[in-house]
Amino acid sequence: MNYTITTPLYYVNDRPHLGSAYTTLASDALARYQRLRGRSVMFVTGCDEHGQKIQRTAEAAHVSPQENCNRISEEYRHLWSRWQISNDRFIRTTDPRHKIIVEQFFRRVEAAGDIIEGQQQGWYCVACEEFKDDKIDSEEEERPQCSIHRQYLEWRDEPNLFFRLSHYQEQIEELIRNPNFIFPINRRREIENFVNKGLHDFSISRVNLPWGIPVPGHQGHTFYVWFDALIGYLTALLRSSDPPDLDIIIKRGWPANIHIIGKDILRFHAVYWPAMLMSAGLEIPHKVFGHGFLTREGQKMGKSLGNILNPETLLDQYGRDPVRWYLLRDIPFGEDGDFQQQRFNDLVNNDLANTIGNLLNRTLSMTRRWFSNSVPPADTAISVNHPLAEAALTAISITLQAMEKLDFRCASETILKLAIDANIFLNDQAPWSKIKEEKRKSEVASDLYAVLETTRIVAFLLIPILPELSVRLQKQLGIEKTLDGAEVCVDDSLWDLHLRWGNLVEGNPLPEPTPVIARLELETKK
Ligand code: MSP
């Protein structure tokens, strides 16, 4: 079964920031999870490279727009590879094949009678690349500002081509009534309010904007950046050997199963895009998930405040696992979240180093010492009635359900709780005391087996959230063929098999323990 998942296509007006990394990391976790479940995943990310914002950025940097796009998109590509993002595609909207797909799409929409000429008047935010007429701060202001960017809006009065969105009022109403389409639920209400006010046609072309795809048959018009960018999700699905053809794309994993985006661009994905697709006779994505925004120590991140968290710096300082853990474990996916340095250190140290890392480390040390460096005989621990087996079974079922709902926090907490249960069990059983009596050695073997087996399940459950740490845990447990969810599971029941209690093989050699994660010292309050 196919599973297509997309991140937004990021604007190349600036370098990647933590906001873009957040969406991409969460999407990566979902992509890995779906692969482990045996689905043939198509994970798309990329860059959105046209429009006024990009043109102006290039002008300010005294380079051509194309040069600027090449440079910044390369930074994105490089960043994702450093984060070991498992994307299958990286689409750039300046790809020549994309131009052809946009033209084909437009011709379909035009043939459906949904393109009309009109005059566009209104206040425009270049930073948002959006008309703001329904969102401006104050009617009285002579020159209103954008409430998001605090930049002056620009008055536009020009002939544009319009997409007949109003024609799709009923179909969009029906679509957003589908309880499985927009997530999280509170954001669905925002969209309902917007749609209930009545949908207006929106302009899909610009005049006097050279940095865009020319509209076929309409001299002097280039496509509005959003019209072109959304179609990028389709172009991305083409294989390198495919000719650029919309009819082929629909066989390559369209419709998307999910678009993961930030809450600020939900309207484009849940209203404009579905209507465009309806007009072009293409299927609608199954789900749109609008996550929240990140702040830092309670403050909005911005250049002027000088508090932007650079994902590259975070990676250099802490590595992949700690950042993934913090973002996915601490912030309810869908709600806004705050990055706090102290809490970051505490969670990494308590959860990963102390609870999970230590559990494995001390269990391995004892096992190796008393059972000749290998997995001890299981005896009673193999029984599914063992308290840790029961705990593991519950944790597996909750984690899988949570991952289906993109509830990364619940999944992470559940896995962590399983590790805590194993720690408690170990402390209660105190094998270090029991081992002093020779006749209790088999009991000790059982206890240690049960704890190692729980740690193995913790490791396998963790794959989507912390693939790297998981692989280290797997290796420490002597598992040779490790899994990280980056590749399609050829055997789609493989993960399920790994998630069965009692899979750790008695007598298997256990390597010498090394710390799986370093503790963080709080060196700065900044
Ligand atoms: N180019 C459009 C998307 C086109 S998709 C066909 C765009 N790009 S963007 O680079 O401005 O934003 C990309 C994503 O980053 C958006 O989903 C946005 O919500 C997200 N974020 C931007 N700042 C953010 C935070 N501070 N926190 C979390 N996500 C944030 O929009």
Side-chain angles (χ1 to χ4, degrees):
M1 200 170 71
N2 290 330
Y3 192 93
T4 299
I5 162 173
T6 69
T7 75
L9 307 184
Y10 300 105
Y11 282 131
V12 289
N13 64 308
D14 212 345
R15 313 184 57 194
H17 52 75
L18 193 65
S20 11
Y22 180 50
T23 322
T24 313
L25 290 174
S27 307
D28 182 67
L30 183 65
R32 287 177 195 260
Y33 167 75
Q34 295 294 351
R35 287 191 197 100
L36 291 165
R37 302 250 59 190
R39 302 194 177 123
S40 167
V41 170
M42 170 60 78
F43 174 13
V44 170
T45 187
C47 285
D48 181 355
E49 306 191 354
H50 288 126
Q52 189 135 40
K53 176 156 67 168
I54 310 298
Q55 184 175 306
R56 286 190 185 167
T57 309
E59 280 161 9
H62 305 291
V63 293
S64 72
Q66 189 63 61
E67 259 175 85
N68 179 65
C69 293
N70 293 350
R71 187 173 61 82
I72 308 258
S73 69
E74 206 34 60
E75 287 194 31
Y76 271 98
R77 210 192 279 271
H78 177 70
L79 184 70
W80 301 151
S81 112
R82 285 201 67 203
W83 278 99
Q84 292 180 2
I85 299 300
S86 62
N87 57 299
D88 301 284
R89 293 290 151 82
F90 185 94
I91 172 74
R92 295 182 55 191
T93 56
T94 51
D95 180 333
R97 303 203 307 167
H98 178 60
K99 178 169 175 275
I100 299 171
I101 295 296
V102 171
E103 287 166 358
Q104 288 178 8
F105 191 99
F106 174 74
R107 287 197 203 281
R108 286 192 183 200
V109 173
E110 197 172 38
D114 285 332
I115 298 295
I116 39 184
E117 286 178 17
Q119 188 74 13
Q120 172 74 63
Q121 288 185 327
W123 290 107
Y124 193 71
C125 173
V126 176
C128 293
E129 292 282 17
E130 189 181 10
F131 279 98
K132 290 286 169 180
D133 300 347
D134 60 329
K135 295 186 197 155
I136 47 181
D137 270 356
S138 151
E139 292 279 319
E140 288 111 57
E141 263 183 78
E142 234 172 56
R143 194 172 170 199
Q145 289 189 357
C146 164
S147 55
I148 302 173
H149 295 95
R150 291 280 144 219
Q151 276 178 21
Y152 281 120
L153 300 179
E154 299 179 18
W155 180 251
R156 294 287 157 83
D157 186 355
E158 57 177 47
N160 282 175
L161 299 170
F162 284 72
F163 173 72
R164 213 165 45 137
L165 181 64
S166 53
H167 188 67
Y168 293 90
Q169 178 77 33
E170 276 173 28
Q171 289 172 68
I172 295 292
E173 278 175 16
E174 194 189 323
L175 173 72
I176 64 176
R177 263 199 302 273
N178 172 352
N180 295 316
F181 183 57
I182 301 175
F183 284 88
I185 295 166
N186 53 341
R187 303 223 191 286
R188 189 185 308 155
R189 280 183 214 116
E190 266 167 47
I191 296 293
E192 271 165 5
N193 291 341
F194 172 70
V195 174
N196 290 342
K197 278 192 226 146
L199 294 174
H200 301 293
D201 300 343
F202 72 96
S203 69
I204 57 135
S205 78
R206 299 287 181 265
V207 288
N208 308 321
L209 176 64
W211 190 240
I213 297 177
V215 181
H218 298 268
Q219 255 235 305
H221 289 257
T222 50
F223 282 108
Y224 169 42
V225 58
W226 268 100
F227 188 83
D228 138 24
L230 289 161
I231 298 171
Y233 292 138
L234 298 172
T235 312
L237 301 179
L238 282 172
R239 294 182 183 158
S240 54
S241 56
D242 284 338
D245 186 342
L246 268 179
D247 287 326
I248 291 185
I249 287 172
I250 54 176
K251 295 187 210 131
R252 297 282 183 254
W254 191 259
N257 294 70
I258 187 166
H259 289 312
I260 299 188
I261 52 166
K263 61 180 181 180
D264 55 327
I265 54 174
L266 191 55
R267 193 185 286 186
F268 287 99
H269 286 79
V271 180
Y272 296 4
W273 179 224
M276 284 165 60
L277 287 162
M278 287 171 190
S279 172
L282 293 166
E283 280 189 70
I284 311 301
H286 296 310
K287 195 184 293 263
V288 178
F289 195 108
H291 67 67
F293 261 49
L294 297 180
T295 48
R296 181 179 186 183
E297 310 289 347
Q299 280 189 310
K300 190 171 181 259
M301 283 185 261
K303 273 189 190 161
S304 49
L305 285 167
N307 66 347
I308 291 184
L309 266 173
N310 180 343
E312 197 95 32
T313 320
L314 279 178
L315 192 61
D316 291 339
Q317 276 181 325
Y318 308 110
R320 288 174 278 267
D321 291 327
V323 182
R324 277 178 88 109
W325 184 247
Y326 185 78
L327 295 177
L328 298 175
R329 175 251 198 269
D330 206 39
I331 301 166
F333 197 59
E335 290 174 31
D336 292 339
D338 193 32
F339 187 94
Q340 294 168 5
Q341 187 69 52
Q342 178 71 58
R343 184 156 173 80
F344 174 81
N345 286 37
D346 289 349
L347 288 187
V348 171
N349 289 344
N350 295 339
D351 301 348
L352 302 185
N354 296 353
T355 304
I356 298 178
N358 252 350
L359 171 70
L360 179 66
N361 212 284
R362 62 188 182 135
T363 315
L364 273 182
S365 306
M366 289 185 275
T367 312
R368 279 171 50 90
R369 196 172 330 130
W370 302 325
F371 298 94
S372 13
N373 300 336
S374 54
V375 177
D379 196 19
T380 55
I382 202 94
S383 150
V384 285
N385 298 324
H386 190 281
L388 281 182
E390 283 176 2
L393 210 67
T394 311
I396 292 166
S397 138
I398 298 176
T399 305
L400 299 187
Q401 281 173 41
M403 289 302 292
E404 287 292 329
K405 292 190 280 183
L406 280 75
D407 190 345
F408 303 117
R409 182 163 81 151
C410 172
S412 309
E413 283 176 347
T414 305
I415 304 169
L416 185 67
K417 183 176 172 300
L418 181 60
I420 293 173
D421 287 346
N423 271 307
I424 294 174
F425 176 83
L426 199 60
N427 291 346
D428 288 349
Q429 299 306 317
W432 45 89
S433 306
K434 287 186 192 170
I435 197 71
K436 290 177 190 148
E437 299 170 56
E438 183 55 34
K439 63 176 190 315
R440 299 189 81 182
K441 192 161 177 190
S442 69
E443 221 183 297
V444 171
S446 240
D447 291 345
L448 291 180
Y449 181 94
V451 176
L452 286 173
E453 180 58 352
T454 310
T455 318
R456 192 187 63 77
I457 289 182
V458 165
F460 277 96
L461 283 177
L462 267 181
I463 299 175
I465 311 269
L466 301 179
E468 239 183 317
L469 178 71
S470 168
V471 167
R472 282 200 296 275
L473 294 169
Q474 293 171 48
K475 284 190 178 147
Q476 289 271 289
L477 287 161
I479 296 161
E480 274 172 22
K481 249 184 128 260
T482 56
L483 272 190
D484 68 1
E487 271 152 42
V488 181
C489 261
V490 220
D491 177 356
D492 63 10
S493 56
L494 192 61
W495 198 39
D496 292 350
L497 281 178
H498 279 299
L499 292 178
R500 270 190 215 151
W501 181 262
N503 255 359
L504 201 60
V505 183
E506 178 186 328
N508 247 21
L510 291 170
E512 198 172 321
T514 51
V516 283
I517 189 134
R519 284 182 59 84
L520 301 177
E521 302 303 332
L522 189 62
E523 78 285 343
T524 164
K525 282 256 171 212
K526 229 179 139 199

